[in-house]
Amino acid sequence: MPLEVNNQTDVTEFVFLGFSNHPNLQGLFFLIFLVTYLTTLLGNMLIITATKISSALHTPTYHFLSNLSFLDICYASTTSPVMLGNFFREKKTISYEGCLSQIFFLVTCAGTEGVSLAAMAYDRYLAICHPLQYPVLLSVKVYVFLVIGSWLCGLVNSVTHTVLAATLTLCGTNKISYFLCDIPMLLKLSCSDTSLNESVLHVASATIGLSPCLFTAVSYILIISAILRIPSAQGRSKAFSACASHLTVVVVFYGTANFNYDRPREGYSLDVDILVSVLFCVMTPMLNPIIYSLRNKEVKCALKKLSGRSGFPGNISV
């Protein structure tokens, strides 16, 4: 270790190796990710605008949805612009400070989104299982508390990881196999003791990752049990429809997150690793507004009205 530390050089930038296996497809990759990013921005901004304009969507459920859309815009904007810019560069780099900044915003958005989805599951639980008490149990104060709490969880978690990452001693290669900076990548490049960083990662996985996931799962077990007790088929169908969009988003988010962070690293090629990261960091923010616009009648109606006001031809919400 003393020899490694003495021979270390200050790392001022990192080199991304993502997509380097396919140099002839850089133009195609750029086009695909540009369309994906623009679709993410447009879809989520439409959801936010529709929620503000339509009085029918002025409920905690759709305020949560608006917050989720804002999160997805921030989430996609953390990685996509840097990635798109690097497609035009022979050496795909990011500065040391830029890497830490990307980690900070990426971890903030991912952590906040996980807790926000759990809060939205609580909203669905109250709406299905306690409909008469819903306005009292989920008042404006409670909604604001849940939103602020989810952001604080994400921020505290992110600040902790970013500060610890900044204390790492980096030596040797500065090459990152992916197209973005993430904490596990820096731990691989460190020649200092990373036990504290790894311990904090495990604690964060249990508190910010696993706990909201389990809370959401328990909420939906109770929701499904309540729905199955509804006597009429029409009532059961309506109740399932009210939860379908959120449940689909939860499955997509936690499914891609778990596959990205918790799967074994051995036995997978670089292309597979990059594909999984793309699904989690790029595709998920784009899919969320599409899922809600396709599965939720109120959102579809609001988007149709917004389409008419804006003078767009046809149906926005397909």
Side-chain angles (χ1 to χ4, degrees):
M1 177 62 70
L3 180 61
E4 290 178 348
V5 173
N6 290 334
N7 289 339
Q8 79 176 59
T9 56
D10 292 332
V11 174
T12 59
E13 67 177 16
F14 297 95
V15 179
F16 292 133
L17 301 180
F19 308 108
S20 59
N21 289 352
H22 307 282
N24 297 329
L25 298 177
Q26 297 295 300
L28 178 61
F29 287 148
F30 172 80
L31 182 60
I32 291 173
F33 289 117
L34 177 62
V35 171
T36 301
Y37 181 52
L38 293 178
T39 303
T40 300
L41 295 181
L42 177 61
N44 284 291
M45 285 191 293
L46 284 174
I47 293 289
I48 294 172
T49 305
T51 303
K52 291 184 177 297
I53 290 178
S54 176
S55 58
L57 302 185
H58 290 175
T59 64
T61 298
Y62 296 106
H63 290 319
F64 278 125
L65 176 58
S66 182
N67 178 62
L68 180 66
S69 292
F70 177 72
L71 261 172
D72 284 333
I73 291 174
C74 297
Y75 196 28
S77 299
T78 299
T79 56
S80 293
V82 175
M83 179 177 60
L84 291 170
N86 275 332
F87 279 120
F88 292 100
R89 303 172 64 181
E90 183 176 349
K91 189 178 181 182
K92 309 179 192 305
T93 62
I94 188 172
S95 66
Y96 175 80
E97 293 78 11
C99 184
L100 289 181
S101 299
Q102 194 174 68
I103 288 175
F104 172 78
F105 288 109
L106 185 68
V107 175
T108 297
C109 293
T112 303
E113 184 156 339
V115 180
S116 295
L117 289 174
M120 294 173 75
Y122 177 66
D123 167 74
R124 293 295 80 205
Y125 164 75
L126 292 179
I128 300 297
C129 300
H130 303 282
L132 299 179
Q133 297 174 288
Y134 179 83
V136 177
L137 296 176
L138 197 58
S139 61
V140 174
K141 289 183 179 180
V142 175
Y143 158 75
V144 171
F145 172 79
L146 291 174
V147 170
I148 293 177
S150 64
W151 277 97
L152 284 177
C153 287
L155 282 170
V156 170
N157 180 51
S158 181
V159 168
T160 303
H161 287 304
T162 306
V163 169
L164 288 175
T167 64
L168 291 173
T169 301
L170 303 175
C171 51
T173 181
N174 65 338
K175 296 179 180 179
I176 297 177
S177 299
Y178 285 12
F179 59 90
L180 54 84
C181 285
D182 204 354
I183 298 166
M185 307 300 142
L186 290 190
L187 295 182
K188 289 182 178 180
L189 301 181
S190 174
C191 56
S192 59
D193 183 15
T194 61
S195 57
L196 178 59
N197 303 69
E198 293 171 1
S199 298
V200 172
L201 273 176
H202 292 313
V203 172
S205 296
T207 54
I208 303 296
L210 183 60
S211 296
C213 184
L214 290 177
F215 179 87
T216 303
V218 171
S219 297
Y220 270 100
I221 290 174
L222 298 174
I223 289 170
I224 293 173
S225 298
I227 291 175
L228 293 177
R229 291 195 298 268
I230 298 175
S232 68
Q234 184 178 2
R236 289 194 297 271
S237 176
K238 185 176 180 181
F240 272 120
S241 178
C243 303
S245 299
H246 175 255
L247 184 58
T248 305
V249 168
V250 167
V251 171
V252 170
F253 178 80
Y254 282 112
T256 54
N258 289 334
F259 195 58
N260 186 51
Y261 288 109
D262 297 334
R263 65 192 174 88
R265 294 295 171 183
E266 292 78 14
Y268 291 93
S269 66
L270 176 61
D271 288 341
V272 173
D273 286 337
I274 292 173
L275 176 61
V276 173
S277 294
V278 166
L279 289 175
F280 179 58
C281 300
V282 179
M283 300 303 294
T284 300
M286 181 191 72
L287 291 175
N288 288 350
I290 295 175
I291 292 169
Y292 270 99
S293 65
L294 290 176
R295 297 287 306 175
N296 191 291
K297 293 181 180 179
E298 288 80 7
V299 174
K300 289 172 72 174
C301 290
L303 289 175
K304 287 178 182 179
K305 292 179 181 179
L306 180 60
S307 173
R309 290 187 182 186
S310 304
F312 291 126
N315 243 344
I316 292 179
S317 55
V318 207

